[in-house]
Amino acid sequence: MAGQFLLLVFVFFMVLAAAKDAMSFTIPNWLVGAMALTFPLAAGLLGLGWMEFGIHVGVGVVALLIGMALFAPGWIGGGDAKLIAAAALWFGFPDALIFLAKSALMGGVLAVALIMLRRAAPATGLPQRWLTGTLLAEGAPAPYGIALAAGAMWTLPSSQLFALASL
């Protein structure tokens, strides 16, 4: 029961990260840190062995390196890179690969949605100053935390951790 609760905590963290990113284009370090620090407790409560735990940690480290590689040329933000790593830590192998693929697909959906919404925003009649600093502002960054959260929610029901929580 406690393991299932911690999976809900993971979901809460991902949704909160998406909301914070959508509102401020930032993902707070404390949030990603709390997500990463909650994983060992969840792993223990869900019965992950030391070998499996180590694989999850290794996957998280590799995901952080991938995130840093995507951050370096400016393709994603620093918070996004850290969120990828924290979520991958929870998913382990091979679920983290599925998470990354689904997040990439959701990133494409997010990009198309933002393009459409930003093109439609002037038709609302709202003054431009009201749109500045929002998702609808022309040239605003894409809050990729939304795509990462969607990818995580899509992946979680078929993940190893979810199966362990269902036992």
Side-chain angles (χ1 to χ4, degrees):
M1 183 78 160
Q4 293 170 339
F5 173 75
L6 287 174
L7 283 183
L8 287 177
V9 169
F10 170 72
V11 169
F12 172 75
F13 285 150
M14 290 302 294
V15 170
L16 184 58
K20 296 289 273 180
D21 203 13
M23 292 186 291
S24 66
F25 302 110
T26 59
I27 300 170
N29 287 335
W30 66 263
L31 178 57
V32 177
M35 185 184 304
L37 290 174
T38 305
F39 174 73
L41 181 59
L45 291 171
L46 292 170
L48 241 59
W50 284 107
M51 178 75 116
E52 294 153 325
F53 180 79
I55 290 170
H56 278 256
V57 170
V59 167
V61 169
V62 169
L64 182 59
L65 294 173
I66 291 169
M68 290 168 58
L70 294 172
F71 170 73
W75 295 339
I76 64 171
D80 301 324
K82 291 177 273 189
L83 186 61
I84 288 169
L89 171 69
W90 279 77
F91 284 116
F93 183 81
D95 294 330
L97 296 174
I98 297 165
F99 157 69
L100 291 173
K102 290 179 177 180
S103 293
L105 286 172
M106 296 311 295
V109 170
L110 175 67
V112 169
L114 287 175
I115 290 168
M116 292 172 59
L117 289 170
R118 288 174 182 171
R119 286 190 180 160
T124 64
L126 294 172
Q128 186 61 35
R129 69 179 186 278
W130 287 11
L131 299 176
T132 302
T134 70
L135 286 173
L136 300 179
E138 191 66 36
Y144 204 72
I146 295 171
L148 294 171
M153 298 310 107
W154 188 5
T155 305
L156 187 61
S158 61
S159 70
Q160 175 191 9
L161 283 183
F162 194 85
L164 289 172
S166 301
L167 296 178

